[in-house]
Amino acid sequence: MPRPGSMATPRIGDEIVVAGQFVHTGTRVVLWMDPGGYDAYRVERRFSPLERADWEHSHQDEKELTSPNRYNMRRNGLSAEEIERIRGGGWDLPTLQRVVDQFVIHFDACGTSRECFKVLQDYRDLSVHFMLDLDGTIYQTLDLKERAWHATTSNSRSVGIEIANMGAYAPGEKNPLNNWYVKDASGRTRITVPPEQRDGGIRTGNFVGRPARVEPVRGTIQGQELVQYDFIPEQYQALTKLTAALCKSFPRIKCDYPRDAAGKLVRQKLPDAELNAYQGVLGHYHIQTNKVDPGPAFQWDRVIGEARKLLHGGMSDMADQTSKGHLHTGR
Ligand SMILES: [Zn+2]
């Protein structure tokens, strides 16, 4: 038996929290309880003056804030008895695996995860489980057992991630892209965080972010032509690992994206019946007609293809270890 007061095995810094259990991802994760983390459990605003951060003042200062909590309880598909048990926090992994079957990808249109958290927590009644910053750092703000508020009709059944990216715009529409993306002397494109965001809160010192493609990408989402800079290779790498970890932890999240009859990416909202039946990775725009994220630049095949390799190749050791274990009991 461990001696009282002795420290438990330290985490290595790649763990996400799934119904109170630590699950490895193989990429850097900062949790809400870590120094420098973002805590969506808190009622206070994070960046307002401290003396006005409490709920009473926040409610007065920001009319859009209507609830001290920016998340609530998943209860879809649960019996009255199960709801009574989990309302006190008593989730177990098999129950959570039964109700979570979608992983929703967003871009944050804020540019950095710090700014994203500021908007969600301080100005809007919104939340999301993960944020993925420019340098590939993943922030988890809530246990995946919570119902975060990021994707309307899919909140109860999904896990969500906001990826730092300034977003997609109609050609000719006023946009902030020129403030964020510059070509340097070498002809390569790099990100410059505008002065109002100071260092942007990026965890990696002196990080230089370069979109995976030099030129902005054009493409059609919801029948609308859009222009967007691609995501950063560090972001793709981290997202791939997180996607694999989630597909492994939640057997109902299929490692795939919405496809048409020809096997091509669906580029608009899924019809309600299809969305209802869909279990896998998807974009915010597959859920709502008024959304275009993660935009035309997002490389679905890169993320899903690499995640599948991790699931079927590089993670085979892990699969062997867990195939008879608790991770699969929810299937
Ligand atoms: Zn979104």
Side-chain angles (χ1 to χ4, degrees), residues 106-107 150 162 284 291 293:
H106 306 258
F107 59 55
H150 60 101
E162 291 279 0
H284 197 184
K291 295 293 174 183
D293 55 326

Side-chain angles (χ1 to χ4, degrees), residues 17-255:
V17 182
V18 186
Q21 301 195 41
F22 292 112
V23 175
H24 289 298
T25 61
T27 191
R28 178 161 59 172
V29 179
V30 179
L31 300 177
W32 64 91
M33 73 277 266
D34 291 335
Y38 297 104
D39 187 348
Y41 284 102
R42 301 210 68 86
V43 165
E44 300 92 343
R45 282 180 293 170
R46 170 68 182 270
F47 299 98
S48 70
L50 189 55
E51 60 277 13
R52 297 196 69 83
D54 63 280
W55 169 242
E56 274 311 309
H57 286 101
S58 296
H59 182 46
Q60 290 165 23
D61 292 354
E62 296 300 333
K63 294 297 168 225
E64 259 194 78
L65 291 178
T66 62
S67 156
N69 300 323
R70 282 76 155 173
Y71 66 95
N72 58 354
M73 190 172 102
R74 298 185 193 271
R75 44 174 101 178
N76 55 310
L78 299 178
S79 66
E81 210 171 44
E82 285 171 323
I83 288 173
E84 269 311 307
R85 172 163 56 86
I86 64 145
R87 65 181 285 190
W91 278 94
D92 58 85
L93 189 56
T95 308
L96 191 61
Q97 287 170 324
R98 217 179 70 213
V99 303
V100 172
D101 60 2
Q102 293 182 344
F103 179 31
V104 182
I105 315 281
H106 306 258
F107 59 55
D108 63 13
C110 294
T112 62
S113 291
R114 185 175 70 188
E115 191 68 12
C116 176
F117 191 74
K118 188 181 189 175
V119 170
L120 300 179
Q121 182 79 9
D122 287 14
Y123 296 107
R124 312 278 301 275
D125 279 337
L126 293 173
S127 58
V128 71
H129 302 98
F130 296 110
M131 301 184 298
L132 172 49
D133 214 347
L134 294 172
D135 63 348
T137 302
I138 293 171
Y139 295 92
Q140 185 177 356
T141 76
L142 294 165
D143 189 322
L144 302 191
K145 73 184 200 278
E146 314 298 352
R147 179 177 181 274
W149 298 350
H150 60 101
T152 58
T153 55
S154 280
N155 285 342
S156 293
R157 63 193 288 196
S158 70
V159 169
I161 187 164
E162 291 279 0
I163 309 175
N165 178 281
M166 281 312 288
Y169 302 87
E173 180 188 358
K174 188 173 175 314
N175 70 59
L177 298 178
N178 286 341
N179 296 335
W180 282 81
Y181 296 92
V182 292
K183 261 191 195 156
D184 57 23
S186 67
R188 296 194 298 160
T189 303
R190 61 167 288 175
I191 291 189
T192 54
V193 176
E196 62 270 22
Q197 284 202 32
R198 303 183 314 282
D199 65 355
I202 312 293
R203 210 166 169 87
T204 308
N206 303 313
F207 179 76
V208 178
R210 297 188 184 278
R213 284 173 279 183
V214 171
E215 301 297 336
V217 179
R218 272 180 186 241
T220 304
I221 304 287
Q222 312 283 24
Q224 208 188 330
E225 199 188 348
L226 296 167
V227 182
Q228 174 193 21
Y229 277 94
D230 204 345
F231 298 82
I232 313 293
E234 285 85 349
Q235 292 179 318
Y236 278 120
Q237 208 172 27
L239 181 62
T240 295
K241 290 182 173 167
L242 179 63
T243 302
L246 291 175
C247 292
K248 186 83 206 161
S249 302
F250 294 96
R252 290 187 173 175
I253 303 180
K254 259 181 54 195
C255 193

